[in-house]
Amino acid sequence: MSERATAPSPELLAAFDDYERDRTVRNNRIGCILGIIFMPAGMGLDAFVYPDQTWDFLGLRLICSALLGGVWWAYGTGFGRRFYRMLGLIEVSLPLGFISAMIGLTDGFASPYYAGLNLVVFGAGLLLRWRVDDVFRMLAIML
């Protein structure tokens, strides 16, 4: 005896989309807070590895944290609720971009800061709720 699968109702699909958006926005806001905290915390690494650039890099780290604060704020607006997937890509692109800049300002491909890129991607993979197409967009941005 076979049972026929029925398509979910539009109301059920809308409720699921609302649930997913709310969870994603919540997780992404947590990711912003973690980025705001951990970017400046990297100053300890700067002082150890590149002591001559510690204060310059702190400035970059604080700018990144401020921009992440703006993304965190944007998630609470109507715009952020509507374009939360785009904000998620921006949220991860900010630390990746700033760490890439620090790599470029130091030893390039030989810089130990590449590990920071790995940490950002690993943390994003654990915390953020991305669809497959978002993962491919993020990989393209990262490369």
Side-chain angles (χ1 to χ4, degrees):
M1 176 177 358
S2 66
E3 293 183 29
R4 271 199 165 167
T6 58
S9 68
E11 295 83 18
L12 182 61
L13 291 174
F16 177 76
D17 287 342
D18 289 344
Y19 172 80
E20 276 297 306
R21 183 190 61 241
D22 292 345
R23 297 283 302 204
T24 300
V25 167
R26 182 184 61 103
N27 286 7
N28 287 9
R29 289 187 102 184
I30 292 169
C32 284
I33 292 168
L34 292 173
I36 289 167
I37 293 168
F38 288 129
M39 277 303 287
M43 182 184 178
L45 175 67
D46 300 337
F48 181 72
V49 179
Y50 297 107
D52 294 342
Q53 294 172 302
T54 300
W55 296 107
D56 295 333
F57 285 177
L58 177 61
L60 291 174
R61 291 175 179 282
L62 291 174
I63 291 168
C64 183
S65 289
L67 292 171
L68 285 170
V71 172
W72 178 87
W73 172 82
Y75 279 123
T77 67
F79 174 85
R81 305 272 309 156
R82 185 169 180 198
F83 296 104
Y84 66 97
R85 290 180 56 213
M86 178 193 65
L87 282 176
L89 294 174
I90 292 170
E91 172 184 348
V92 177
S93 297
L94 286 169
L96 288 177
F98 278 86
I99 293 170
S100 294
M102 290 187 286
I103 289 170
L105 293 169
T106 56
D107 296 328
F109 66 88
S111 172
Y113 282 2
Y114 78 88
L117 298 175
N118 294 333
L119 286 173
V120 172
V121 172
F122 180 72
L126 288 176
L127 183 64
L128 304 183
R129 298 169 67 95
W130 282 353
R131 297 178 357 184
V132 172
D133 56 333
D134 292 330
V135 171
F136 286 115
R137 284 185 188 98
M138 193 65 251
L139 287 172
I141 290 168
M142 186 175 68
L143 292 175

